[in-house]
């Protein structure tokens, strides 16, 4: 009898210790469940709540990338063409490589075609907001996150977003070069 | 084991005065200690409820500051749940489980002594926070972060008090399981056990499974605040809603821990006074087990407003409603036991019948709250307060009253004063309904809980509730008098006490001798 009580006691004590551990195990467990079933995706919930999307029309977006003359960077969008609804949250990645053997600071400047479409690009996040420093040989993927304002004119069906990187570190040289460039 | 226990216990008897109670390993002494402690905490928690209701008698701030008001709601809940109801049930289990299964004592008498004596320290720590800088915990008994992390110096006291209560409950539960599994008299098969023993066996398993999870959750709170972890801190990659998931994984089974022993008590009392065996014994056992299993998959119905996906809301809504099925089986069985019985209405039976009626009302308002779209409207309103007081006051508490009136003659050897008992019952049952019924309407009208002030249109119902609260509160003094009178003296009780009482505990004389069933009885 005494042995029986001690055995049962030990078993139950181990169970309660395991349940203490289980309390902590619940933390990764819940995260995993949410990840697998996708029931706790914050981004998705933001999208669901966005009722401004105009699903009745499509706009074709073209992405273009250039570097200023003589700048030793390779710069290109991950995707050239995309079809979106106005109001939809859009993300597009650009890839940039510094092919020189020194660090260079660059600043991207956007331009739009047609030009007045620029007013309807509501950018949430863009690599063009700040100067970018790339070490020698560095490769980087940079996002642009934006919403195309649904109030954009109905007759605009294709918009081009073009970025040009300028070397901000080489001010003097740039001004020299600019002299040679045609105006406009 | 049994000879060793008896040997120790004989030494125990030679102690006198206070030391007898400090060192006792006798299940009857420890049961008495638990019950007296529970009664004390019931009075303390009740006083806090009176402060809450006094403040809510009129809109605006009358007597207390909002911070203190919130401390009162927090402490009232912690004290009533962990200090009054749980120790009350454990006290009943200590007294009755060994006597009902024909065992000489609990299986682990020294651990039993520990389980009890941790509690006064836990509650001394918790109550001491009332006098601390920053005040007592005021973030609600659910301890949601980040609010609870703003508690002042009281915070570590709250956490360690909860740890101690948890350790006490786990040890008590382990003791009860070992006793029931190993110490039954020959012939006392599982399906012959009285229903009180069955419900406690299942409750004890629930306690062992979920109290450690609560200990884990509050430990995470402690390390989040003091040791730089980020379990619930969004800035460090954690998630505050995570706490709610872990907490309710504990706390939903916990609400069944607070009600399953009540089912057991009522299942003992009703057959006695209906003079009929319990209707559907086996279905009662299976229903209890089903409720316990289901309790693990419904936790998120406490959190419908945190932003769950619709699929999860539907799952928790339907699984919650499923619990009404085994609970309905139980209510049906109690009514069927009374059907065509030769009923008499002594105080224990009155409390048991009130339990069946009022717990069912509480169950129905629970079903209303289980409906996710309705709950989003009613969440954190007085409707919720009304619901859980119907299941905890007229449920858990009334069953404890029924149990105490039922077994008091067995413990003291004296009949309690039936007239005073009836006064206590009627004032309690009327008072209780006056307090909590108007809260349904307040909640439906949108009055939020845990706020010391309210909009003017809620005044009348709040005044009714406060009048009822004081009626209910002061009528508990009658209970105190009844118990004290029965301890001191009164009409001698027979061994069987009640004409229709059946079971091993009624075969020993009243008062039950210090040692019972040293030779195990044979159950046919």
């Amino acid at each position: 009898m005494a042995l029986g009580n001690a055995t049962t006691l030990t078993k139950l004590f181990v169970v309660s210790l395991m349940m203490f551990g289980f309390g902590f195990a619940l933390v990764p467990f819940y995260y995993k469940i949410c990840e697998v079933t996708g029931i706790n995706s914050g981004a998705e919930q933001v999208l669901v709540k966005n009722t401004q999307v105009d699903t009745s029309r499509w706009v074709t977006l073209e992405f273009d990338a250039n570097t200023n003359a003589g700048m030793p960077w390779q710069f290109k969008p991950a995707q050239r063409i995309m079809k979106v609804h106005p109001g939809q949250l859009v993300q597009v990645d650009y890839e940039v490589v510094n092919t020189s053997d020194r660090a260079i600071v660059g600043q991207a400047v956007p331009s739009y075609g047609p030009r007045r479409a620029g007013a309807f690009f509501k950018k949430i996040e863009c690599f063009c907001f700040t100067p970018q420093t790339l070490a020698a040989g560095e490769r980087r993927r940079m996002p642009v996150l934006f919403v195309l304002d649904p109030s954009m004119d109905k007759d605009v069906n294709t918009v081009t977003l073009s970025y040009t990187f300028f070397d901000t570190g080489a001010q003097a040289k740039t001004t020299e070069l600019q002299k040679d460039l045609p105006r406009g | 084991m049994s000879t060793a226990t008896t040997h120790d216990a004989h030494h125990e008897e030679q102690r006198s005065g206070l030391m007898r109670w400090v060192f006792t390993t006798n299940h009857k002494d420890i049961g008495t200690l638990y019950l007296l402690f529970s009664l004390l905490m019931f009075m303390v928690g009740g006083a806090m409820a009176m402060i809450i209701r006094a403040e809510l008698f009129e809109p605006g701030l009358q007597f207390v500051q909002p911070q203190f008001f919130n401390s009162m709601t927090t402490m009232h809940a912690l004290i009533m749940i962990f200090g009054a109801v749980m120790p009350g049930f454990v006290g009943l289990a200590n007294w009755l489980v060994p006597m009902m299964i024909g065992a000489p004592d609990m299986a682990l008498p020294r651990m039993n002594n520990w389980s009890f004596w941790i509690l006064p320290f836990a509650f001394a720590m918790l109550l001491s926070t009332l006098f601390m800088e920053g005040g007592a915990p005021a973030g609600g008994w659910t301890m949601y972060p980040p609010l609870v992390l703003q508690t002042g110096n009281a915070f570590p006291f709250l956490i360690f008090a909860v740890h101690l209560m948890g350790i006490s409950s786990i040890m008590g539960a382990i003791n009860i399981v070992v006793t029931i599994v190993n110490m039954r008299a020959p012939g006392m098969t599982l399906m012959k056990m009285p229903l009180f023993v069955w419900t406690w066996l299942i409750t004890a398993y629930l306690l062992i499974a979920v109290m450690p999870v609560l200990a884990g959750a509050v430990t995470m709170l402690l390390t989040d605040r003091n040791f730089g972890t980020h379990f619930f801190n969004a800035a460090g990659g954690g998630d505050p809603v995570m706490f709610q998931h872990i907490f309710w994984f504990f706390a939903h089974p916990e609400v069944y821990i607070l009600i399953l022993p009540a089912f057991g008590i009522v299942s003992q009392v009703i057959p006695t006074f209906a003079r009929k065996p319990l209707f559907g014994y086996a279905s009662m056992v299976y229903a209890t087990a089903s409720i316990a299993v289901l309790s693990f998959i419904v936790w998120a119905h406490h959190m419908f407003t945190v932003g769950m996906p619709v699929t999860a809301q539907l799952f928790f809504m339907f699984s919650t409603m499923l619990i009404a099925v085994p609970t309905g089986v139980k209510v049906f069985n109690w009514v069927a036991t009374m059907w065509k019985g030769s009923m008499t209405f002594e105080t224990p039976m009155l409390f048991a019948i009130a339990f069946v009626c009022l717990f069912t009302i509480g169950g129905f308002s629970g079903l209303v709250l289980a409906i996710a779209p309705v709950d989003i409207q009613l969440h954190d309103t007085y409707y919720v307060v009304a619901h859980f007081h119907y299941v905890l006051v007229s449920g858990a508490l009334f069953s404890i009253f029924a149990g105490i009136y039922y077994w008091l003659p067995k413990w003291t050897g004296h009949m309690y004063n039936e007239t005073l008992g009836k006064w206590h019952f009627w004032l309690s049952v009327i008072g209780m309904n006056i307090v909590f019924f108007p809260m349904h309407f307040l909640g439906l009208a949108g009055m939020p809980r845990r706020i010391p002030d309210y909009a003017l249109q809620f005044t009348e119902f709040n005044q009714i509730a406060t009048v009822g609260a004081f009626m209910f509160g002061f009528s508990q003094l009658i209970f105190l008098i009844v118990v004290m009178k029965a301890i001191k003296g009164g009409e001698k009780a027979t061994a069987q006490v009640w004409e229709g009482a059946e079971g091993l505990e009624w075969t020993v004389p009243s008062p039950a001798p210090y040692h019972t069933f040293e030779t195990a009885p044979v159950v046919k």
Side-chain angles (χ1 to χ4, degrees):
Chain A
M1 189 64 119
L3 189 70
N5 284 353
T7 319
T8 321
L9 168 68
T10 317
K11 281 183 192 159
L12 292 172
F13 181 68
V14 170
V15 170
S16 60
L17 270 187
M18 278 166 55
M19 286 310 292
F20 183 70
F22 181 72
F24 284 85
L26 275 174
V27 175
F29 187 62
Y30 277 128
Y31 279 125
K32 205 70 204 166
I33 286 180
C34 288
E35 192 189 309
V36 171
T37 54
I39 53 178
N40 197 23
S41 165
E44 255 174 41
Q45 283 176 354
V46 171
L47 269 181
V48 168
K49 279 179 193 151
N50 187 353
T51 53
Q52 309 286 304
V53 180
D54 183 1
T55 49
S56 66
R57 57 190 282 230
W58 288 99
V59 175
T60 305
L61 295 174
E62 296 173 348
F63 301 103
D64 182 36
N66 310 287
T67 51
N68 195 22
M71 193 177 179
W73 283 15
Q74 279 175 11
F75 180 39
K76 61 178 196 311
Q79 199 175 347
R80 294 263 171 213
I81 290 176
M82 196 186 275
K83 278 176 85 95
V84 301
H85 292 299
Q88 186 184 334
L89 190 68
V90 184
Q91 176 169 349
V92 62
D93 287 339
Y94 279 78
E95 200 174 55
V96 63
V97 188
N98 182 354
T99 54
S100 76
D101 54 0
R102 61 197 165 89
I104 295 176
V105 183
Q107 171 77 55
V109 175
S111 63
Y112 308 91
R115 229 177 74 186
R116 60 192 172 95
F120 300 97
F121 265 94
K122 304 293 180 204
K123 285 185 193 158
I124 293 154
E125 173 68 51
C126 179
F127 60 87
C128 57
F129 291 166
T130 52
Q132 303 290 328
T133 310
L134 263 77
E138 192 187 343
R139 174 185 296 268
R140 190 181 292 172
R141 242 179 126 81
M142 303 174 301
V144 186
L145 200 62
F146 63 89
V147 175
L148 209 55
D149 194 329
S151 64
M152 189 174 72
D153 307 28
K154 299 275 184 210
D155 56 343
V156 181
N157 294 317
T158 305
V159 180
T160 306
L161 170 62
S162 172
Y163 281 106
T164 307
F165 253 113
F166 290 89
D167 186 347
T168 55
Q171 277 298 329
K173 203 181 162 193
T174 313
T175 40
E176 284 292 318
L177 279 169
Q178 272 169 344
K179 282 177 191 163
D180 302 330
L181 284 172
R183 294 272 159 184
Chain B
M1 184 69 197
S2 62
T3 49
T5 315
T6 317
H7 186 68
D8 285 341
H10 279 302
H11 281 288
E12 235 55 68
E13 268 176 312
Q14 285 156 13
R15 291 187 202 278
S16 58
L18 188 66
M19 283 302 129
R20 167 187 162 184
W21 299 100
V22 174
F23 291 109
T24 184
T25 53
N26 180 285
H27 74 102
K28 299 185 183 77
D29 279 356
I30 294 173
T32 306
L33 284 172
Y34 264 114
L35 287 166
L36 291 175
F37 180 77
S38 158
L39 187 60
L40 176 69
M41 287 297 122
F42 175 58
M43 293 297 160
V44 173
M48 290 172 173
M50 294 302 107
I51 294 173
I52 294 168
R53 283 316 321 173
E55 178 57 49
L56 291 173
F57 185 69
E58 285 181 321
L61 296 181
Q62 270 69 240
F63 306 105
V64 296
Q65 290 304 304
Q67 173 77 19
F68 185 72
F69 180 89
N70 289 346
S71 288
M72 286 296 101
T73 56
T74 305
M75 298 285 275
H76 166 73
L78 287 169
I79 287 171
M80 286 303 197
I81 294 168
F82 294 103
V85 175
M86 287 170 72
F89 282 139
V90 179
L92 287 167
N94 258 292
W95 254 102
L96 296 163
V97 166
M99 290 198 331
M100 284 178 162
I101 62 173
D105 203 310
M106 295 296 278
L108 309 154
R110 286 204 174 82
M111 195 167 87
N112 205 12
N113 174 289
W114 265 99
S115 320
F116 173 74
W117 278 110
I118 286 176
L119 279 182
F121 293 95
F123 282 90
M125 269 171 70
L126 186 65
L127 287 169
S128 71
T129 61
L130 284 168
F131 309 102
M132 280 178 193
E133 203 157 335
W141 81 278
T142 49
M143 299 178 279
Y144 284 0
L147 183 61
V148 75
L149 301 176
Q150 296 172 16
T151 308
N153 295 347
F155 183 77
F157 288 83
L158 167 70
I159 300 299
F160 290 124
V162 171
H163 275 147
L164 288 181
M165 294 166 201
I167 291 170
S168 162
S169 306
I170 292 166
M171 292 202 301
I174 288 178
N175 210 342
I176 288 167
V177 173
V178 178
T179 307
I180 297 173
V181 172
N182 287 356
M183 308 267 288
R184 295 194 310 278
M188 176 63 79
T189 57
L190 285 174
M191 289 309 271
K192 275 187 192 164
M193 292 196 309
L195 218 74
F196 179 72
V197 180
W198 252 118
T199 53
W200 242 115
L201 179 64
I202 292 165
T203 305
Y205 273 116
L206 282 180
L207 275 166
I208 294 167
V210 300
M211 284 311 279
V213 176
L214 174 70
V218 297
T219 307
M220 287 182 233
L221 284 177
L222 187 75
T223 58
D224 261 18
R225 181 158 122 153
N226 292 0
F227 303 106
T229 57
H230 299 104
F231 288 105
F232 312 126
N233 183 355
D239 189 343
V241 176
M242 175 68 74
F243 177 83
Q244 300 186 24
H245 278 293
I246 300 173
F247 180 82
W248 287 110
F249 183 86
F250 145 77
H252 200 79
E254 167 72 16
V255 303
Y256 294 124
I257 289 165
L258 298 172
I259 203 66
L260 293 185
F263 292 167
I265 295 167
V266 169
S267 304
Q268 301 296 131
V269 172
I270 289 180
T272 300
F273 296 97
R275 292 167 181 78
K276 272 176 66 191
L278 185 70
F279 184 89
Y281 171 89
S283 68
M284 282 297 214
V285 173
Y286 294 127
T288 312
S290 314
I291 294 171
V293 171
L294 285 173
S295 76
F296 283 99
I297 57 161
V298 298
W299 74 91
H301 67 211
H302 297 268
M303 317 164 43
F304 278 140
T305 57
V306 298
M308 262 187 284
V310 175
T311 13
Q313 292 193 13
L314 285 174
F315 171 78
F316 288 111
M317 174 170 137
F318 288 126
S319 58
T320 304
M321 289 181 167
L322 203 55
I323 293 181
V325 177
T327 316
V329 169
K330 290 186 138 324
V331 173
F332 177 85
N333 286 349
W334 290 320
V335 175
T337 307
M338 289 187 269
W339 180 253
K340 291 191 175 172
S342 315
M343 289 207 285
T344 50
F345 299 94
E346 288 86 347
T347 313
M349 183 60 163
L350 289 173
F351 271 111
I353 293 171
F355 170 95
V356 175
C357 301
L358 299 173
F359 175 79
T360 305
I361 293 179
F364 278 133
S365 60
L367 275 176
V368 172
L369 289 168
I371 305 166
V374 176
D375 180 77
I376 288 165
Q377 169 75 19
L378 295 176
H379 188 85
D380 262 346
T381 67
Y382 264 77
Y383 195 87
V384 179
V385 179
H387 158 67
F388 67 69
H389 281 97
Y390 264 87
V391 288
L392 286 178
V393 176
S394 52
L397 182 64
F398 276 18
S399 82
I400 293 175
F401 284 147
I404 288 174
Y405 281 108
Y406 184 53
W407 284 296
L408 199 58
K410 176 57 61 188
W411 302 334
T412 63
H414 307 121
M415 294 305 287
Y416 60 86
N417 185 322
E418 190 65 49
T419 316
L420 281 178
K422 287 221 164 74
W423 270 101
H424 172 225
F425 168 75
W426 285 109
L427 287 172
S428 292
V429 78
I430 294 168
M432 181 267 158
N433 278 289
I434 298 176
V435 199
F436 298 113
F437 209 80
M439 289 187 186
H440 290 110
F441 307 127
L442 286 170
L444 288 168
M447 179 172 161
R449 61 190 282 214
R450 293 171 168 162
I451 307 226
D453 191 4
Y454 50 81
L456 296 179
Q457 68 267 30
F458 301 136
T459 311
E460 281 81 4
F461 277 137
N462 269 297
Q463 294 189 328
I464 295 171
T466 298
V467 170
F470 278 88
M471 179 176 165
F472 181 79
F474 284 108
S475 60
Q476 302 319 310
L477 298 177
I478 303 174
F479 176 65
L480 214 60
I481 294 167
V482 173
V483 172
M484 285 194 303
K485 278 173 70 106
I487 292 171
K488 280 199 183 136
E491 192 196 325
K492 281 261 165 273
T494 59
Q496 200 191 4
V497 184
W498 311 106
E499 189 193 30
E502 277 175 33
L504 285 177
E505 82 266 35
W506 306 110
T507 62
V508 300
S510 304
Y514 202 59
H515 298 292
T516 41
F517 300 122
E518 286 172 287
T519 13
V522 178
V523 182
K524 285 176 220 87

